[in-house]
Amino acid sequence: MDKQKTLDKVIAIFADVMDVDPRTIGSATTPEDVESWDSVSHVRLIMSVEKAFAVKFTNAQIGKLRSVGDIAGALIHQ
Amino acid sequence: MWYSDLGELPWLLPAPADYRTRVLSLEAMERVDGATLRALASYALDLNNCHHLAKACQRLRDRIDAEPWLSPLRIAIVSGGTASYLGPAIVSACLRHGVLAEVYIPGYGQAETDVLDPESRLHAFRPEVAVVGFDHRVFGLKATQTGESTTADRVAAAVRHLSLLTERLLESGTQVVLQTLAEPPERWCGHFDPRVSGSVSAQISTLNQRIIELTLAHGASLLDVAGLAGLIGTSRWFDHAQWYNAKVPFALELVPFYSEHVARLMGALRGRSRKCLVLDLDNVLWGGVIGDDGLEGIELGHGSANGEAYVQIQAYALELKTRGILLAACSKNEEDTARMPFRDHPEMLLKEDDFSAFVANWDSKPSNLVHIARLLNIGTDALVLLDDNPVERDQMRQALPEVAVPELPEDPAWFPSAVAHAGYFEAVGLSPDDVNRAQYYRANAARAAAQEASSDIDTFHRSLEMVCDISSFDALSRGRIVQLIGRSNQFNLMTRRYTEAQVALMESDPSIFTLQARLTDRFGDNGMISVVIFRKGEKEWLCDTWLMSCRVVGRRVEEAVLAVVASAARAAGATRLIGDFMPSAKNRMVADFWNRLGFRYIGSIDSVGTRWALDLQDYAEPDLPMRISVSTRERPSPARSSGLADGNAREGVGQSAS
């Protein structure tokens, strides 16, 4: 899948889940940068991404997703 | 398979793509009314949309005008797993069912200590309802071959635990909702499991039976999670990966579905369940158009697949009617044409007198539904419209968003499923009054005819041979009392709502005087029609609640009730009764109530309400056109029998004090 397109779609989902402006979100964004990104919303984020891309991450994969770029990367390598 | 994925709430319209923007636009409003929030909640919302809506509610809290569309309710979630995901979904789903919820969720693993510790944040929150739910992992139910006693002990420990939590919550006046447990899909031995007591399957089935008994013993309500998981499929209900990852007790994507079910129970507890199913006729009760196809041309009855489906829709409507849901017909038709199948088609299960209202004309459906609501003396938010035409459905949602309009599949075989799964008519109890409701409405029509025949109102009243039974609250009538407290809007002086647990506490509280009244006449039993609560002071009794069913307005029942209150207050040494009127959007009809009963105005309350007083020494019991039978917890006063008995009564006044 196209790298940039995937990242854009992840950012759009991220912005909706976290209720933030997508323009402030990039590949390097981590939980430290976004107040609403906590363990609870993280699970919701993963679920939303899984649904939108029709994939299912393993817990081992989820454990390694520490930034927006990590999520897009995991999707590309699915 | 149109209705295959219930998890997506298919009876609701899908949320629009710009949902978040629509929610954000609420911020610009100076006041947000309950109807707007309710309309926003009436989509099939996913977890993220729920989150946006609930967040907006929290931010806008002080700007929301809840009544008359939403009843506020504080809910605590007492759960073993991670429950923080549930809050926003429950708040959103509750809006859909007419409840403005505030949800408290204890920290992970804190739920039980929170319930047991009277100083906890949970008790400081003063929940009106608590949903108590644990699963097999939290209870430690494991497959074992060590024998019956170990498994029985484990189940008994779980029951004791639930019992203790329930009692603590009830003691603080919190209504309890107990959940059954879903059975995990992985079997131990296989098909043998239900037969061997050591299996998790058998343990859960025993435990669930005990939970149902607990709800009966404690007057708690039941949330049948085992049934929910069954609807979805347990292999999808349990997501083991999510459990290990974050102790999410069931699949996160099903949280909106679960919350929808919690919400309909909350709506039912607050008296917000719908009351009337309005049926379109052509292509809903039969196939085809009666005006074009004629009696022989419509599809109905055995012999064709669709014909059977339409018979089943009628059978389902009749089932609803037997538990007190009113039926109404609304069709764009000539009246005679519309009535023809009911009179002449041999396969019709529904007859004209099954309907409490029958409207067939060429007016718009929204105006006809307003008319039906007025005829039946209920709000338009108590109506559900079953209509096969998407254009009519859309028009109804635009004009009257408070009317529930389920999305329907093309095949009529699924119409009853759509109504059933939508949960509009959720009940937390059934009273004899529910069963007889349609009869009351028909008897009312007969009374109206009798009134036209009599010359004056007093002659009419006496011709009714009314008997009014007045007594204190009791456990047997609690369900109906709670229902009236939750539902009555028009003839309700203060519109205070109480849960079953709160009403149960009042029954034995010596500082509170309670009355329930029933009315029978020669046309039939009207059931329980009035509920009154006074707070007893030494010299003054303050009215906390006074409500009456609109079915019996103008029958002087309120005067009979006042006579009983006055006599009890006198006997207790009080000298004054105090009554308040707090205006709501719906109770204008009782603005002059206290004045009519002989109270005088003594001041305002918060500049919106009014306060009235009656000096008991000036009060004389009127001669009423009914026989009154009293049994209250209070000592009877000697004045009562002479003053209250109607001279024409065939029997003496029945009195007993206990």
Side-chain angles (χ1 to χ4, degrees):
Chain A
M1 198 186 287
D2 182 277
K3 235 174 158 176
Q4 191 56 45
K5 264 193 191 152
T6 305
L7 181 63
D8 290 347
K9 196 167 161 187
V10 169
I11 288 175
I13 294 166
F14 183 93
D16 188 47
V17 171
M18 301 293 172
D19 204 9
V20 292
D21 184 344
R23 288 167 300 187
T24 65
I25 304 303
S27 177
T29 304
T30 69
E32 277 78 59
D33 308 319
V34 183
E35 205 200 325
S36 54
W37 192 353
D38 56 21
S39 60
V40 175
S41 59
H42 184 68
V43 177
R44 200 152 48 82
L45 171 67
I46 298 300
M47 184 196 79
S48 306
V49 170
E50 286 177 334
K51 207 168 161 193
F53 288 89
V55 297
K56 200 86 185 155
F57 294 120
T58 62
N59 275 340
Q61 285 173 310
I62 294 172
K64 291 181 196 141
L65 305 177
R66 296 198 183 92
S67 69
V68 170
D70 286 347
I71 297 172
L75 286 166
I76 290 159
H77 295 117
Q78 271 281 320
Chain B
M1 284 296 286
W2 184 83
Y3 252 95
S4 53
D5 193 0
L6 293 174
E8 303 278 335
L9 316 181
W11 57 91
L12 299 171
L13 276 183
D18 63 342
Y19 190 75
R20 185 165 153 243
T21 319
R22 288 195 196 194
V23 171
L24 288 174
S25 71
L26 292 173
E27 305 273 353
M29 298 166 77
E30 202 166 304
R31 303 293 305 173
V32 181
D33 77 349
T36 308
L37 289 175
R38 193 167 179 174
L40 268 173
S42 298
Y43 294 104
L45 303 179
D46 66 12
L47 207 46
N48 291 325
N49 286 335
C50 288
H51 204 78
H52 300 319
L53 184 57
K55 242 170 99 178
C57 280
Q58 204 170 15
R59 274 198 305 265
L60 302 170
R61 189 119 219 133
D62 301 332
R63 286 194 254 159
I64 297 173
D65 297 317
E67 296 279 357
W69 304 111
L70 302 171
S71 311
L73 185 67
R74 289 185 303 277
I75 307 167
I77 305 295
V78 178
S79 146
T82 304
S84 42
Y85 307 99
L86 300 177
I90 289 176
V91 167
S92 302
C94 276
L95 292 172
R96 191 180 296 142
H97 290 276
V99 170
L100 181 62
E102 203 180 331
V103 178
Y104 176 75
I105 298 174
Y108 178 75
Q110 291 302 301
E112 288 129 301
T113 43
D114 259 20
V115 171
L116 300 177
D117 172 10
E119 306 293 318
S120 67
R121 282 181 59 198
L122 183 140
H123 286 289
F125 175 70
R126 291 186 304 115
E128 289 156 285
V129 183
V131 181
V132 179
F134 299 92
D135 69 15
H136 62 286
R137 294 164 294 209
V138 179
F139 280 140
L141 301 183
K142 288 188 195 75
T144 169
Q145 224 194 330
T146 49
E148 302 256 340
S149 62
T150 326
T151 50
D153 287 352
R154 227 173 257 159
V155 170
V159 171
R160 269 200 308 276
H161 188 70
L162 287 173
S163 196
L164 177 66
L165 295 178
T166 304
E167 281 161 19
R168 282 296 157 83
L169 288 162
L170 286 173
E171 279 163 19
S172 44
T174 301
Q175 175 69 27
V176 176
V177 176
L178 286 177
Q179 294 188 175
T180 54
L181 282 71
E183 186 193 321
E186 298 80 9
R187 285 270 169 106
W188 185 36
C189 304
H191 294 275
F192 184 57
D193 278 15
R195 284 175 46 184
V196 56
S197 66
S199 70
V200 172
S201 171
Q203 291 171 49
I204 287 183
S205 128
T206 312
L207 179 53
N208 282 346
Q209 198 48 49
R210 300 288 302 276
I211 288 172
I212 292 166
E213 289 160 14
L214 264 186
T215 61
L216 289 169
H218 290 291
S221 309
L222 185 70
L223 177 60
D224 187 15
V225 165
L228 289 187
L231 281 173
I232 296 293
T234 51
S235 61
R236 194 173 147 214
W237 181 263
F238 288 102
D239 186 321
H240 303 307
Q242 285 178 353
W243 171 255
Y244 298 132
N245 186 23
K247 293 288 175 290
V248 179
F250 57 90
L252 211 53
E253 57 169 355
L254 296 173
V255 167
F257 173 75
Y258 166 87
S259 303
E260 156 63 33
H261 279 265
V262 171
R264 58 180 66 161
L265 270 183
M266 299 301 139
L269 286 169
R270 269 286 178 258
R272 288 285 183 174
S273 292
R274 310 262 172 181
K275 297 170 186 164
C276 174
L277 177 64
V278 184
L279 295 154
D280 178 29
L281 300 180
D282 291 329
N283 290 315
V284 171
L285 294 189
W286 53 74
V289 177
I290 184 68
D292 297 339
D293 303 327
L295 212 50
E296 290 76 31
I298 58 172
E299 216 176 355
L300 178 68
H302 301 276
S304 81
N306 271 354
E308 286 195 30
Y310 289 113
V311 170
Q312 193 48 44
I313 294 166
Q314 299 195 15
Y316 183 69
L318 280 172
E319 270 175 34
L320 288 175
K321 187 187 155 227
T322 60
R323 44 160 286 210
I325 305 305
L326 302 173
L327 302 180
C330 180
S331 170
K332 286 196 169 163
N333 251 318
E334 294 300 334
E335 173 138 8
D336 285 346
T337 318
R339 286 181 183 269
M340 195 159 54
F342 294 93
R343 289 170 179 166
D344 299 324
H345 199 294
E347 300 264 14
M348 287 290 289
L349 290 183
L350 285 168
K351 303 291 175 206
E352 284 168 284
D353 66 3
D354 289 319
F355 292 90
S356 299
F358 195 107
V359 179
N361 57 35
W362 299 99
D363 296 345
S364 81
K365 283 241 168 97
S367 69
N368 277 335
L369 262 72
V370 169
H371 177 63
I372 287 171
R374 203 173 301 143
L375 269 179
L376 300 178
N377 231 331
I378 56 180
T380 42
D381 59 348
L383 302 177
V384 174
L385 173 68
L386 194 63
D387 197 318
D388 66 298
N389 183 338
V391 178
E392 302 266 16
R393 292 203 294 265
D394 189 54
Q395 190 195 1
M396 187 61 63
R397 292 192 190 103
Q398 300 287 335
L400 302 173
E402 70 275 17
V403 174
V405 189
E407 279 298 281
L408 291 179
E410 221 177 292
D411 192 327
W414 297 100
F415 287 7
S417 314
V419 178
H421 289 308
Y424 301 121
F425 304 113
E426 189 73 30
V428 283
L430 283 181
S431 69
D433 282 6
D434 289 321
V435 180
N436 298 325
R437 183 162 302 117
Q439 216 173 310
Y440 300 148
Y441 281 84
R442 270 207 307 284
N444 251 358
R447 284 180 199 107
Q451 181 163 10
E452 277 170 26
S454 17
S455 51
D456 69 277
I457 190 78
D458 197 55
T459 314
F460 164 64
H461 278 152
R462 288 184 193 277
S463 76
L464 288 175
E465 297 164 20
M466 291 186 278
V467 178
C468 189
D469 277 293
I470 300 178
S471 60
S472 306
F473 287 6
D474 55 42
L476 205 63
S477 309
R478 195 184 298 155
R480 173 62 178 158
I481 291 169
V482 172
Q483 206 180 44
L484 277 172
I485 288 175
R487 275 185 183 174
S488 302
N489 291 315
Q490 300 179 87
F491 202 114
N492 195 338
L493 274 298
M494 274 76 78
T495 324
R496 292 203 173 98
R497 312 291 192 195
Y498 293 111
T499 62
E500 187 161 345
Q502 289 168 319
V503 170
L505 289 178
M506 289 179 198
E507 284 165 20
S508 52
D509 186 337
S511 70
I512 288 179
F513 177 77
T514 62
L515 285 184
Q516 50 168 322
R518 297 167 179 276
L519 187 69
T520 315
D521 61 35
R522 70 183 164 97
F523 293 102
D525 186 354
N526 293 278
M528 188 192 298
I529 38 76
S530 186
V531 169
V532 170
I533 301 167
F534 271 81
R535 298 193 178 271
K536 297 193 260 185
E538 205 165 302
K539 291 289 155 207
E540 288 183 346
W541 282 24
L542 173 65
C543 185
D544 176 273
T545 293
W546 191 312
L547 61 86
M548 196 170 83
S549 160
C550 290
R551 285 204 295 264
V552 295
V553 165
R555 307 269 292 271
R556 304 186 69 185
V557 171
E558 58 275 36
E559 292 178 65
V561 172
L562 176 64
V564 176
V565 176
S567 127
R570 266 183 190 149
T575 53
R576 277 215 311 180
L577 298 181
I578 307 288
D580 294 343
F581 166 70
M582 283 304 281
S584 75
K586 291 187 178 175
N587 72 350
R588 212 171 312 124
M589 70 184 288
V590 288
D592 196 39
F593 175 79
W594 298 112
N595 183 34
R596 279 191 290 109
L597 283 183
F599 285 59
R600 74 197 150 71
Y601 176 77
I602 55 169
S604 76
I605 311 164
D606 302 337
S607 74
V608 277
T610 52
R611 173 157 285 192
W612 306 73
L614 179 72
D615 287 319
L616 286 169
Q617 69 180 59
D618 302 338
Y619 172 75
E621 288 159 1
D623 178 25
L624 293 168
M626 67 186 79
R627 191 164 67 80
I628 299 164
S629 148
V630 184
S631 88
T632 65
R633 282 192 277 133
E634 318 301 314
R635 254 167 13 91
S637 84
R640 196 182 298 155
S641 55
S642 58
L644 291 181
D646 174 22
N648 298 326
R650 285 162 300 181
E651 303 162 49
V653 177
Q655 282 191 28
S656 69
S658 48

